C-alpha cells in the first residue's frame, strides 16, 4: 500500500496548454511505501531528546487535516503490534525480547480522505530494561487526538497507576490561564486479554472504593477524560477465535475518534505539526516545561499568520479581495460555480477561474489539461484534485489546507 502523496511539478493553466505534450508533470506522483520512521530519539550519555529528520520530513509533506493516534502504556505490552494492525502488518518493528523495541517515538502515515492518519508508536513507560522519557508523554498529550493506553494480560492496579503517572507528567504542559489542551479520547486496551470483562469495566475500576491514594489516581483519570471520551477494550491473543471481531471493534472506534488536530480553531497541517514539535523540544530543553500560550503563539503567529500575510502580498489575492465587500467574504463557502467556459464555449458550465489569467474554464477542460493537480488560488501551490474545493465567492479552486485555515467549512463527505 502507498503512504505519502507527493505533488508532481505544476501543470500550466488550460488556456496555455492546449498544444502541450504530456511531460514529467503528467506522470503519476511519487509514492513512498508504507513504513515507520523515527520521530524522536535520545542521544548521548544525558539522553538528550532529538527530533529525527526522517520523521519530520514525512510530516512536513502532509496537507491538513492531520488525524493523530498515539499508542502508549506498558513496555512489552504489544503497542507496536496493535499500531501495525492499524496501519499495516509489520509497519512498526516488534519482537518478543525483554528489551524494549521502541525507543522514543516512531511514526507511520496512512493516506486518508480528507486528511492523513498519523500513528505514533511510543516507548513503554514501565519496562525495567528501558529508561522512560517524559517528553514522550508530553508529545503524546499535545499531538494525539486519540490516546491508546495498552496494558498486557489484564487491567491491573499497576496499569491504572501507570496511566495516572503518565497524566501527572502532563503537568509539564503549563497553561498559564490561557490556551487549553485539545479534547482527547482515551482507549484503555487490555492486549492479549486473559480475563472476562464487562463493557463498563473502566467505569467500575474508576468508581471502586479504595484508600485515598488510589482514589486520587482514579479522580485524576476521571477528570482528564470525561465518560464520553474514554472507553475500555480487550484484544485476545491473535490465535484466539474472537481476535478479529475484537480487533475490528477497536479499529473502527479508533478511526472514528481520530479527529483533526487543531491549534485553537485552526486545523493544523503537517508543516505546522513540525513547527509545534520543534517548539516543544526547544521549550522542554530550555525551561523543562511547555507553555501552551507560547506554543500557540509560535504555531499560529510564526507558522501561519506571518506566512499567510507574505502569501497574500506575494500573490494576486490581495487585489482579488478588493473586489468583494465584507458581507460577501463572510459568506465564503465551497460549492459549484457556473459560467461560460473560455476554452470550449459551453454555456452554464460548472468550473472555476484560472488563478493566473482570471478566465473561466469548465471542469471537463480542467480535467483535460490538468488531470493530476490543480493550482490553489491562495497559496499558489499545486495539489491533487481531491485535496481542494471550489470556493463560490472568489470562484477559484483552493487547497483544503488554505480553506480550513481561512475558516471556510469543507464538505468532507
Amino acid at each position: 500500500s502507498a503512504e505519502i502523496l507527493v505533488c508532481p511539478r505544476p501543470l500550466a493553466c488550460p488556456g496555455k496548454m492546449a498544444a502541450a505534450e504530456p511531460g514529467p508533470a503528467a506522470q503519476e506522483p511519487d509514492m513512498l511505501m508504507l513504513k515507520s520512521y523515527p520521530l524522536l530519539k535520545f542521544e548521548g550519555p544525558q539522553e538528550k531528546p532529538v527530533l529525527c529528520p526522517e520523521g519530520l520530513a514525512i510530516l512536513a509533506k502532509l496537507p491538513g487535516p492531520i488525524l493523530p493516534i498515539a499508542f502508549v502504556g506498558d513496555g512489552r505490552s504489544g503497542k507496536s503490534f496493535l499500531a501495525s494492525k492499524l496501519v499495516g502488518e509489520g509497519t512498526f518493528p516488534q519482537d518478543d525480547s525483554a528489551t524494549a523495541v521502541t525507543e522514543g517515538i516512531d511514526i507511520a502515515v496512512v493516506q486518508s480522505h480528507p486528511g492523513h492518519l498519523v500513528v505514533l508508536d511510543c516507548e513503554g513507560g514501565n519496562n525495567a530494561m528501558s529508561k522512560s522519557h517524559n517528553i514522550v508523554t508530553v508529545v503524546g498529550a499535545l499531538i494525539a487526538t486519540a490516546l491508546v493506553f495498552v496494558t498486557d494480560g489484564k487491567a491491573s492496579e499497576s496499569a491504572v497507576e501507570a496511566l495516572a503517572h503518565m497524566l501527572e507528567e502532563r503537568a509539564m504542559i503549563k497553561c498559564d490561564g490561557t490556551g487549553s489542551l485539545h479534547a482527547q479520547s482515551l482507549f484503555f486496551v487490555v492486549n492479549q486479554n486473559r480475563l472476562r470483562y464487562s463493557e463498563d469495566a473502566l467505569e467500575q475500576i474508576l468508581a471502586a472504593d479504595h484508600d485515598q491514594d488510589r482514589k486520587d489516581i482514579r479522580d485524576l483519570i476521571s477528570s482528564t477524560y470525561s465518560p464520553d471520551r474514554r472507553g475500555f477494550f480487550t484484544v485476545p491473543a491473535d490465535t484466539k477465535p474472537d481476535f478479529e471481531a475484537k480487533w475490528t471493534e477497536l479499529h473502527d472506534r479508533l478511526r472514528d475518534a481520530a479527529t483533526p488536530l487543531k491549534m485553537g480553531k485552526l486545523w493544523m497541517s503537517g508543516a505546522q505539526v513540525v513547527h509545534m514539535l520543534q517548539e516543544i523540544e526547544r521549550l522542554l530543553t530550555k525551561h523543562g516545561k511547555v507553555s501552551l500560550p507560547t506554543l500557540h503563539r509560535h504555531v499560529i503567529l510564526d507558522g501561519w499568520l506571518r506566512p499567510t500575510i507574505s502569501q497574500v502580498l506575494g500573490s494576486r489575492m490581495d487585489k482579488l479581495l478588493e473586489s468583494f465587500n465584507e458581507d460577501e467574504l463572510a459568506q465564503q463557502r465551497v460549492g459549484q460555480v457556473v459560467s461560460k467556459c473560455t476554452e470550449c464555449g459551453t454555456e452554464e458550465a460548472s468550473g472555476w477561474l484560472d488563478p493566473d489569467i482570471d478566465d473561466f474554464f469548465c471542469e471537463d477542460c480542467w480535467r483535460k489539461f490538468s488531470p493530476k493537480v490543480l493550482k490553489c488560488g491562495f497559496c499558489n501551490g499545486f495539489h491533487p484534485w481531491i485535496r481542494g474545493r471550489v470556493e463560490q465567492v472568489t470562484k477559484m479552486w483552493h487547497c483544503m489546507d488554505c480553506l480550513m485555515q481561512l475558516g471556510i467549512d469543507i464538505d468532507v463527505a
Side-chain angles (χ1 to χ4, degrees), residues 110-241:
V110 179
Q111 184 177 335
S112 179
H113 175 65
H116 286 286
L117 187 69
V118 176
V119 179
L120 295 85
D121 181 21
C122 304
E123 68 175 34
N126 70 336
N127 193 317
M129 304 291 290
S130 177
K131 182 179 179 181
S132 178
H133 304 89
N134 51 22
I135 186 176
V136 174
T137 298
V138 173
V139 169
L142 287 170
I143 297 297
T145 56
L147 193 74
V148 187
F149 180 87
V150 183
T151 188
D152 182 55
K154 63 179 182 179
S156 63
E157 184 65 24
S158 62
V160 176
E161 291 175 357
L163 173 59
H165 178 67
M166 183 191 72
L167 298 182
E168 288 172 348
E169 288 182 340
R170 288 163 52 129
M172 296 176 67
I173 305 170
K174 190 172 179 61
C175 293
D176 293 339
T178 61
S180 62
L181 288 171
H182 55 74
Q184 184 182 74
S185 298
L186 170 68
F187 290 74
F188 191 105
V189 178
V190 180
N191 190 34
Q192 301 189 88
N193 177 50
R194 298 188 293 270
L195 301 176
R196 184 182 296 115
Y197 292 99
S198 62
E199 291 185 358
D200 64 344
L202 181 59
E203 301 309 308
Q204 294 181 30
I205 290 171
L206 296 178
D209 189 16
H210 290 289
D211 58 58
Q212 189 60 44
D213 287 343
R214 288 195 283 182
K215 183 179 184 300
D216 291 343
I217 287 174
R218 285 156 171 75
D219 288 346
L220 174 60
I221 297 171
S222 298
S223 62
T224 303
Y225 300 103
S226 60
D228 62 317
R229 290 195 293 109
R230 63 187 186 229
F232 183 89
F233 299 84
T234 61
V235 179
D238 57 2
T239 57
K240 300 294 184 180

Side-chain angles (χ1 to χ4, degrees), residues 79-98:
K79 296 186 301 299
S80 298
F81 170 77
L82 294 177
S84 291
K85 285 289 292 182
L86 183 63
V87 179
E89 296 287 352
T91 300
F92 293 98
Q94 51 192 293
D95 63 35
D96 56 2
S97 68

Side-chain angles (χ1 to χ4, degrees), residues 5 99 103 126 196 201 206 208 232 251 274 278 284 330 344 400:
L5 190 61
T99 304
E103 181 194 49
N126 70 336
R196 184 182 296 115
L206 296 178
F232 183 89
H251 172 275
V274 169
Q278 292 170 333
L284 284 177
C344 67
M400 294 176 68

Side-chain angles (χ1 to χ4, degrees), residues 112-393:
S112 179
H113 175 65
H116 286 286
L117 187 69
V118 176
V119 179
L120 295 85
D121 181 21
C122 304
E123 68 175 34
N126 70 336
N127 193 317
M129 304 291 290
S130 177
K131 182 179 179 181
S132 178
H133 304 89
N134 51 22
I135 186 176
V136 174
T137 298
V138 173
V139 169
L142 287 170
I143 297 297
T145 56
L147 193 74
V148 187
F149 180 87
V150 183
T151 188
D152 182 55
K154 63 179 182 179
S156 63
E157 184 65 24
S158 62
V160 176
E161 291 175 357
L163 173 59
H165 178 67
M166 183 191 72
L167 298 182
E168 288 172 348
E169 288 182 340
R170 288 163 52 129
M172 296 176 67
I173 305 170
K174 190 172 179 61
C175 293
D176 293 339
T178 61
S180 62
L181 288 171
H182 55 74
Q184 184 182 74
S185 298
L186 170 68
F187 290 74
F188 191 105
V189 178
V190 180
N191 190 34
Q192 301 189 88
N193 177 50
R194 298 188 293 270
L195 301 176
R196 184 182 296 115
Y197 292 99
S198 62
E199 291 185 358
D200 64 344
L202 181 59
E203 301 309 308
Q204 294 181 30
I205 290 171
L206 296 178
D209 189 16
H210 290 289
D211 58 58
Q212 189 60 44
D213 287 343
R214 288 195 283 182
K215 183 179 184 300
D216 291 343
I217 287 174
R218 285 156 171 75
D219 288 346
L220 174 60
I221 297 171
S222 298
S223 62
T224 303
Y225 300 103
S226 60
D228 62 317
R229 290 195 293 109
R230 63 187 186 229
F232 183 89
F233 299 84
T234 61
V235 179
D238 57 2
T239 57
K240 300 294 184 180
D242 58 342
F243 171 80
E244 287 299 332
K246 290 290 189 179
W247 165 249
T248 299
E249 178 188 7
L250 175 59
H251 172 275
D252 293 347
R253 292 284 296 276
L254 278 174
R255 292 303 300 261
D256 290 341
T259 54
L261 177 62
K262 295 181 179 180
M263 180 64 74
K265 295 184 178 181
L266 300 179
W267 285 8
M268 296 181 69
S269 67
Q272 290 170 329
V273 174
V274 169
H275 293 155
M276 182 179 184
L277 288 168
Q278 292 170 333
E279 185 67 3
I280 291 172
E281 179 190 38
R282 187 189 71 82
L283 289 172
L284 284 177
T285 300
K286 185 175 181 179
H287 303 292
K289 63 182 180 180
V290 174
S291 167
L292 275 182
T294 299
L295 195 62
H296 286 198
R297 184 168 62 250
H298 175 80
V299 174
I300 295 177
L301 178 60
D302 298 338
W304 166 244
L305 292 180
R306 285 174 181 165
T308 296
I309 293 170
S310 298
Q311 288 170 355
V312 170
L313 297 178
S315 68
R316 303 174 64 258
M317 184 59 73
D318 58 330
K319 298 296 188 294
L320 174 68
L321 296 182
E322 291 176 359
S323 304
F324 307 105
N325 58 43
E326 291 185 7
D327 290 338
E328 288 175 313
L329 293 177
Q331 298 174 11
Q332 284 186 296
R333 61 178 60 87
V334 299
Q336 187 181 48
V337 175
V338 174
S339 187
K340 180 180 179 179
C341 178
T342 302
E343 184 73 14
C344 67
T346 301
E347 300 280 353
E348 298 298 309
S350 176
W352 54 91
L353 295 174
D354 185 300
D356 293 322
I357 59 178
D358 287 341
D359 286 341
F360 184 91
F361 297 96
C362 69
E363 182 173 340
D364 288 342
C365 286
W366 278 109
R367 290 195 179 278
K368 178 179 178 181
F369 296 111
S370 188
K372 304 297 182 183
V373 295
L374 292 170
K375 185 175 183 178
C376 174
F378 182 71
C379 69
N380 290 329
F382 287 81
H383 308 270
W385 277 63
I386 198 173
R387 293 292 176 189
R389 298 289 189 274
V390 178
E391 196 283 310
Q392 292 180 320
V393 173

